[in-house]
Amino acid sequence: MTVTTYLVYLLIAVPLTIWVARTLSRNGRIFLVDVFHGNAEFADAVNRLLVVGFYLINLGFVTLFLRSGRPVLDASGVFEQLSVKLGIVMLVLGVVHLTNVWIFNKIRTRSRLDSMTRPPVPPNDTVQPLTMTEQAARYGY
Amino acid sequence: MRELTVLYDARCGLCRRFKDWLAAQRPAPDGYGGLVRLRFVAAGSAHARALYPTLDHAATLRDVTVVADDGAVYVGDRAWIVCLWATGDHRHTAVRLASPAMRPVARAIVQAAAGLRRVSGGDYADGCDGQCDREGRADA
């Protein structure tokens, strides 16, 4: 029964990781293209690097988390083991995924701040600044 | 906007310290590929009057005033937000303070700073007393 547990665990955890990574790369691309001002090639490169990191961290965790301390004896044992293992894997995937989304958003906010051309508050008033010729005339040139 | 002129009170130590702090900050991008430039002019000085003849210069001595190169005038808490906006490291703070929920907080901070200035500097009846910086006396 222990081997069955391992098999079911891997059959669920690995596709789950792949699904989350694909969702991340498909939707993250839109953020990155916006941040890099439409430079799609650069956005794709950054996106791929982030997804590779995501795969390595999560598959590494799934692999390390495979072994269980005690042997599984019956069918209910299989479900108990799986519920704990898969629950923790999903929580870890969720945390890593949300961290990635947070990073995307951080990059985007930064780029939006840098491209602001006006302060975030409206002016109280407006004045006409003197032109160069008016300034020269004032000083008697 | 590419250039901001900060009209500060050259007779008040707190204002001069704030001006020095602001001048030492890393400038923020102006959104056109360059950086926002800051220019400091003593409020009420002949230079300020020559630059902006239509501005109420008595009011610029009461509240810090920032004039942009396109003629936009920012006074009080808006001027503070614009100053923060022009720094590379504190622009996000400026954007946060500019939101409707945070504007009362910004106003309170500015009022606290104005109170501090009154406590620390009096109403400057005796002029600079050798404490003016190189921009000179406000009424020079």
Side-chain angles (χ1 to χ4, degrees):
Chain A
M1 283 309 227
T2 313
V3 176
T4 319
T5 313
Y6 288 167
L7 267 177
V8 175
Y9 166 76
L10 284 177
L11 280 177
I12 295 177
V14 173
L16 191 69
T17 310
I18 294 171
W19 175 66
V20 177
R22 281 175 167 237
T23 310
L24 183 75
S25 72
R26 201 169 45 240
N27 298 297
R29 192 179 175 278
I30 300 166
F31 269 83
L32 290 171
V33 169
D34 181 53
V35 168
F36 298 122
H37 309 294
N39 189 344
E41 223 170 295
F42 193 65
D44 281 336
V46 173
N47 198 14
R48 215 164 297 137
L49 292 173
L50 277 171
V51 169
V52 168
F54 184 84
Y55 269 126
L56 287 175
I57 290 176
N58 285 302
L59 290 179
F61 176 74
V62 166
T63 315
L64 277 177
F65 201 53
L66 175 83
R67 209 171 80 96
S68 69
R70 53 200 157 79
V72 183
L73 301 174
D74 51 5
S76 71
V78 172
F79 281 102
E80 281 167 19
Q81 282 278 339
L82 279 178
S83 80
V84 174
K85 295 263 174 203
L86 288 176
I88 291 177
V89 164
M90 281 180 199
L91 287 179
V92 169
L93 273 174
V95 169
V96 177
H97 179 69
L98 288 179
T99 310
N100 253 316
V101 171
W102 181 75
I103 291 172
F104 277 138
N105 200 37
K106 196 91 186 152
I107 297 175
R108 184 150 171 273
T109 312
R110 177 86 222 174
S111 117
R112 277 168 61 143
L113 282 181
D114 283 354
S115 60
M116 283 175 87
T117 56
R118 302 193 64 80
V121 281
N124 297 69
D125 197 7
T126 49
V127 287
Q128 241 358 282
L130 284 184
T131 61
M132 287 299 273
T133 38
E134 279 174 334
Q135 269 188 45
R138 254 184 105 84
Y139 289 111
Y141 290 111
Chain B
M1 71 194 40
R2 294 151 197 261
E3 190 179 72
L4 294 170
T5 304
V6 182
L7 299 171
Y8 69 101
D9 190 344
R11 294 178 183 178
C12 123
L14 195 72
C15 313
R16 283 203 309 274
R17 212 166 305 144
F18 174 67
K19 171 215 156 201
D20 291 339
W21 175 84
L22 191 59
Q25 294 300 305
R26 190 168 62 83
D30 62 2
Y32 300 107
L35 296 169
V36 181
R37 288 192 306 277
L38 286 173
R39 178 167 65 158
F40 298 94
V41 175
S45 66
H47 188 195
R49 283 172 206 276
L51 281 173
Y52 306 108
T54 54
L55 201 64
D56 177 3
H57 288 275
T60 65
L61 280 167
R62 287 194 297 273
D63 281 314
V64 60
T65 305
V66 175
V67 186
D69 54 356
D70 60 359
V73 180
Y74 302 91
V75 182
D77 60 325
R78 294 187 192 184
W80 284 75
I81 289 174
V82 171
C83 286
L84 280 181
W85 176 82
T87 65
D89 297 328
H90 305 284
R91 182 171 275 189
H92 61 279
T93 313
V95 172
R96 202 165 299 156
L97 284 175
S99 70
M102 289 296 280
R103 281 299 290 282
V105 179
R107 232 164 266 149
I109 294 171
V110 171
Q111 268 168 14
L116 207 64
R117 168 183 144 171
R118 208 159 300 132
V119 168
S120 65
D123 49 4
Y124 334 115
D126 58 349
C128 305
D129 200 18
Q131 288 180 39
C132 288
D133 60 8
R134 63 186 169 77
E135 294 286 350
R137 282 173 57 139
D139 55 352

